[in-house]
Every structure is written in structure tokens, then in C-alpha cells.
Amino acid sequence: MIRNTNAGWGSVSRWLHWILALAIVGMIGFGWWMNHIPARPDRFFYRSIHADIGYVILLLTLLRLVWRVINPTPTLPADSQPWQKLAARISHGALYLAVIVVIMLGWAHSGAHSPDYSDFFGLFHVPQFTTPDRTAANAYEDRHILFAYVLLALITLHVVAALWHHFIRRDRVVARMVADEAR
């Protein structure tokens, strides 16, 4: 099934979830590695690739949000407590918000950095919304890193909640995101 139902996630939602999950976790790891390697001539290349993938993640995240708006969100099990439903809504909203904030701070850093990271895989230049400014670039980069750690904490919370649903509650919430189940 392509579209979501009240009982489960459709294939588009599942694919976007897992592609974004792998890309975001990979980008956090790649970003950490980039900031911990000694300065070297190819550092700009790695930062450019990081920025390019960030632009793709932003596009996919926006696509996922649009898809989520035009599709129903599967309901939590009937025995879920009101606080659990609220916590799920808040944590999912926080995840989306953190992803967008991290990317926008990275994009702001790109424009403030000289030279910028606007060359998208050598195909075209991504418009920048900030201008070159070393002090601003450093501030954007610091905040980009800080919010990447906030995002990592939210991802950890999301995974712990998924494990809780799967192993403690045994309520099929995780199974709905893993495979297309008969509805």
C-alpha cells in the first residue's frame, strides 16, 4: 500500500522514514568525523559533500512533511494513555523541527563561509541566504553543531521509545514502520 491508513504507514512514508533515518544518522557521524580530523587540503571537499547531502535531506524532509499532511497518521493502540499520545506528537514534531533547524543553520553557515558550499555536486549553485562573514559563519557553525547534538538526543529518545513499544508493550507500533502489514 502506498498511502498511510489509520492502521499503518504506507510504503512512501516507510521509505522516506528509513532513508532519512540513515542519512541523518550518517550525516551526524560524518559531521563529527569532519570536525575531528586534522586540518588537511581536502577538508573543503568533505564539507561540500556534507552540505550537498544536507540540502537533499532538507528536500526529503519537506517532502515527508507534505506527505504526512495529506495522509492520515496511524493511530496509536487504543490502550495508549493520553500522555503517551501527547509525548508521541511532541517528540515527532521536535524531530522534524530539529532536522530543519540543523539544516538551516548549516545552510546559513555555508553562505557566511568564504568560499561557500553552494556548489551542489558540481551541477548547479544552491542560492545562499547569508553573506560572507567570518564571525557569523563561526556562530552558525557552533549552533549547527549544538543542534545536531540536540537532534541526536531526540533520535536516541525516538529509538528508546520504539524499543519500549516493541519489547515492553509488544503493540506492533514498530512493526507498522518496518513492513507492510495486512490491514
Side-chain angles (χ1 to χ4, degrees):
M1 181 172 295
I2 292 175
R3 296 182 61 95
N4 301 345
T5 66
N6 288 330
W9 297 101
S11 58
V12 171
S13 292
R14 285 194 323 274
W15 275 100
L16 286 170
H17 174 271
W18 290 109
I19 289 168
L20 283 166
L22 292 172
I24 290 166
V25 170
M27 282 287 277
I28 291 172
F30 187 51
W32 184 89
W33 174 80
M34 282 187 323
N35 285 323
H36 291 86
I37 61 172
R40 41 195 265 191
D42 57 358
R43 189 172 189 163
F44 183 82
F45 169 77
Y46 292 120
R47 286 178 173 248
S48 292
I49 296 299
H50 184 78
D52 293 346
I53 296 169
Y55 298 132
V56 172
I57 290 173
L58 178 61
L59 181 64
L60 290 175
T61 300
L62 295 175
L63 177 64
R64 184 162 185 221
L65 282 169
V66 167
W67 187 254
R68 188 169 174 137
V69 166
I70 63 174
N71 277 272
T73 299
T75 57
L76 287 174
D79 64 343
S80 297
Q81 299 295 316
W83 71 266
Q84 293 168 330
K85 293 176 183 178
L86 179 63
R89 185 176 303 222
I90 290 170
S91 65
H92 284 108
L95 275 167
Y96 284 117
L97 180 62
V99 168
I100 292 169
V101 167
V102 168
I103 294 169
M104 294 307 293
L105 286 167
W107 193 354
H109 172 257
S110 171
H113 188 271
S114 185
D116 63 33
Y117 306 110
S118 66
D119 186 27
F120 186 77
F121 294 110
L123 300 173
F124 59 88
H125 287 280
V126 175
Q128 301 297 296
F129 60 90
T130 55
T131 56
D133 179 333
R134 179 175 288 215
T135 303
N138 290 337
Y140 290 131
E141 183 177 30
D142 289 345
R143 286 163 181 79
H144 175 71
I145 292 167
L146 170 67
F147 279 95
Y149 282 114
V150 168
L151 177 57
L152 184 59
L154 290 169
I155 291 168
T156 301
L157 181 66
H158 185 69
V159 169
V160 167
L163 293 172
W164 178 75
H165 275 284
H166 188 71
F167 292 109
I168 306 298
R169 292 210 59 205
R170 299 181 188 272
D171 60 11
R172 311 290 302 155
V173 166
V174 174
R176 298 185 309 188
M177 187 50 81
V178 175
D180 190 16
E181 297 183 329
R183 296 188 202 335

